[in-house]
Amino acid sequence: MTTKKPSLATTICQGRISLTSCVYNASGPRTGSSAALAKIAKSEAGGILAKSATVESQTGNPQPRTWQSESASLNSEGLPNYGIGYYLSDDVINEVKASGGDKPYMVSISGKNLQDNLTMLSDIVKAYKDNKSSISAVELNLACPNVIGHPIIAYDFKQMEEVLNAVSSLMKKSKSELPLGVKMPPYFDGPHFQNAANIINKYVGIVSYVASINTIGNAFAVDTHSEMPVISSKGGLAGLSGPAVKHTALANVKVLRSLLNPDIDVIGVGGVSTGEDVFQMILVGASAVQVGTCHWIEGPSCFGRISDELIEIMNEKGYSSIEEFRGKLRDWSKEGASASRAARKAREAREKEEKEANDLLKQAKPNLFDIVNLVLIAIIAMLAADKFGIMS
Ligand code: RRO
């Protein structure tokens, strides 16, 4: 019997953008150049999201500005990018589209001030009007932690509201239907989640999705040998990402999903590196999942690997589409916990049995060295027998 492969397809922005896979890249590493974006287009990623842009091209903060360990990464890139014009240019879009067919291509903006964000948004609205098929959405980054002298916008609720208000006026005035998402920083306390959600909910119809979370701002790592920070700018403070932030990201997706208007999608991002991470993000309510640090470390082949792992989990659980489990996290219960313990025990017993069987097989199999030795002994015995006439 052949089982039908589960579908990873999803939609974001209230069905206006279709993704063949719910897994795609986060804005950030490996998204700054047309060549890097073309590689994402060629991969199994469901969409392509460019690096956050500023009005003009800029090189970013001084090196060293990145650091990685097994469980965590730091970056203080400081928005290196080629300027918004580059990400909207025909040359870049054609190169990306030529590599990835019809995958949605999305841009991201992170202006130095409100006026810069409005200037870039006007350019994107115009490009969208001129050629709807080339740009699918814009992600407004309200959470970059690394611009020297600029606090994170979405931690200042007054400023966040000012920005969304101005953005909303521009969108209404231009009568643009360009889907707009906002990238949010992580929150850690109930009232902060509530404040952020209350503000965003005022812009339902303008804000189509929330991507949660950006890196955890102002983290720090020490180089023990040199007794220095590992990052050279901002006194060594930098954005934290990678597996270490996954549980903060899950909490943010879960809580924001429960507080936001259902017409605003939540896209999960933060510490995702396996199919199981994606499964968990969808279970807590994500409509799609972006991958940042893992894409940075592993390259665009990560999208295929993560998708395969997700398909395996869906097969095991009998899910054929992500809609069947999206947002369907169950309440904690004694019965659920004991069923989970029993399943874990059964799996451990199965793995132990498999290991023992493999070990036995290894012991039973003579190795190449033994075989060569036996052959040599047999040849010497035959030669000796021949010499002393035993064979004659
Ligand atoms: O470029 C960066 O330093 C950067 C950005 Br724009 C962001 O949104 N998040 C991050 O960790 N780094």
Side-chain angles (χ1 to χ4, degrees):
M1 195 186 79
T2 51
T3 48
K4 203 166 160 253
K5 197 174 165 187
S7 166
L8 302 188
T10 190
T11 63
I12 54 172
C13 305
Q14 303 74 51
R16 289 192 288 156
I17 299 178
S18 296
L19 305 175
T20 49
S21 168
C22 58
V23 185
Y24 68 107
N25 72 285
S27 175
R30 294 182 187 264
T31 57
S33 70
S34 60
L37 294 167
K39 283 183 193 160
I40 299 170
K42 254 192 213 138
S43 78
E44 294 294 312
I48 307 136
L49 175 58
K51 169 75 184 166
S52 289
T54 47
V55 173
E56 304 293 344
S57 160
Q58 57 179 45
T59 53
N61 292 342
Q63 306 277 359
R65 59 192 190 190
T66 60
W67 171 88
Q68 285 168 350
S69 75
E70 213 162 82
S71 59
S73 294
L74 289 181
N75 90 83
S76 182
E77 298 271 32
L79 268 160
N81 76 95
Y82 288 120
I84 188 64
Y86 174 86
Y87 301 100
L88 299 179
S89 69
D90 287 344
D91 284 353
V92 170
I93 294 175
N94 290 341
E95 186 179 340
V96 174
K97 294 273 172 191
S99 307
D102 268 349
K103 272 181 206 176
Y105 169 70
M106 297 165 267
V107 294
S108 165
I109 54 172
S110 188
K112 287 190 184 128
N113 51 47
L114 176 56
Q115 189 48 54
D116 280 5
N117 276 325
L118 296 178
T119 301
M120 288 189 281
L121 197 55
S122 298
D123 292 348
I124 302 165
V125 163
K126 185 173 178 313
Y128 183 73
K129 210 174 257 169
D130 292 347
N131 185 359
K132 254 195 172 155
S133 62
S134 63
I135 296 154
S136 294
V138 57
E139 190 170 284
L140 171 65
N141 188 352
L142 298 179
C144 177
N146 298 331
V147 183
I148 297 165
H150 286 258
I152 293 167
I153 295 175
Y155 283 158
D156 174 347
F157 293 117
K158 193 166 161 271
Q159 195 191 358
M160 175 176 156
E161 184 142 22
E162 267 166 30
V163 171
L164 287 179
N165 207 12
V167 162
S168 165
S169 300
L170 188 154
M171 297 290 280
K172 281 182 186 155
K173 217 162 147 192
S174 61
K175 296 193 172 64
S176 180
E177 288 174 0
L178 168 73
L180 178 130
V182 286
K183 177 87 171 266
M184 302 299 285
Y187 295 104
F188 303 94
D189 200 17
H192 295 167
F193 285 118
Q194 191 67 64
N195 279 341
N198 287 350
I199 294 170
I200 293 168
N201 280 339
K202 288 188 198 169
Y203 300 95
V204 63
I206 298 290
V207 174
S208 295
Y209 76 81
V210 161
S212 173
I213 59 173
N214 205 313
T215 53
I216 299 181
N218 301 312
F220 194 81
V222 175
D223 181 301
T224 310
H225 181 76
S226 64
E227 303 177 11
M228 299 187 316
V230 296
I231 302 284
S232 68
S233 53
K234 265 192 87 184
L237 299 178
L240 177 69
S241 62
V245 312
K246 185 187 105 173
H247 298 285
T248 299
L250 277 171
N252 275 259
V253 170
K254 180 183 181 299
V255 177
L256 286 179
R257 178 61 288 158
S258 71
L259 297 174
L260 287 170
N261 185 302
D263 283 340
I264 298 171
D265 290 324
V266 178
I267 296 180
V269 48
V272 170
S273 64
T274 65
E276 187 177 4
D277 296 336
V278 175
F279 180 80
Q280 293 175 357
M281 280 286 192
I282 293 168
L283 205 59
V284 299
S287 294
V289 178
Q290 297 176 352
V291 182
T293 301
C294 177
H295 173 217
W296 181 17
I297 294 168
E298 197 175 319
S301 63
C302 74
F303 301 111
R305 176 187 58 75
I306 292 171
S307 302
D308 289 347
E309 289 169 2
L310 177 60
I311 286 172
E312 202 177 317
I313 293 171
M314 289 169 68
N315 269 331
E316 270 169 25
K317 289 176 171 278
Y319 291 125
S320 58
S321 74
I322 72 161
E323 275 318 299
E324 288 169 23
F325 59 94
R326 190 168 68 79
K328 299 207 173 130
L329 183 76
R330 296 179 195 166
D331 287 339
W332 191 90
S333 70
K334 272 188 182 165
E335 298 72 37
S338 72
S340 182
R341 262 197 310 276
R344 203 169 45 239
K345 263 194 183 157
R347 198 186 55 226
E348 280 165 8
R350 218 173 34 245
E351 284 170 1
K352 195 169 162 232
E353 253 174 39
E354 277 169 17
K355 189 180 174 303
E356 282 168 1
N358 271 340
D359 288 350
L360 268 179
L361 211 66
K362 262 190 220 149
Q363 278 168 17
K365 238 196 258 166
N367 64 30
L368 191 63
F369 185 73
D370 292 338
I371 294 169
V372 170
N373 270 348
L374 279 174
V375 170
L376 280 177
I377 289 166
I379 291 170
I380 290 167
M382 278 165 68
L383 287 175
D386 194 30
K387 185 170 166 69
F388 296 112
I390 301 168
M391 306 271 275
S392 57

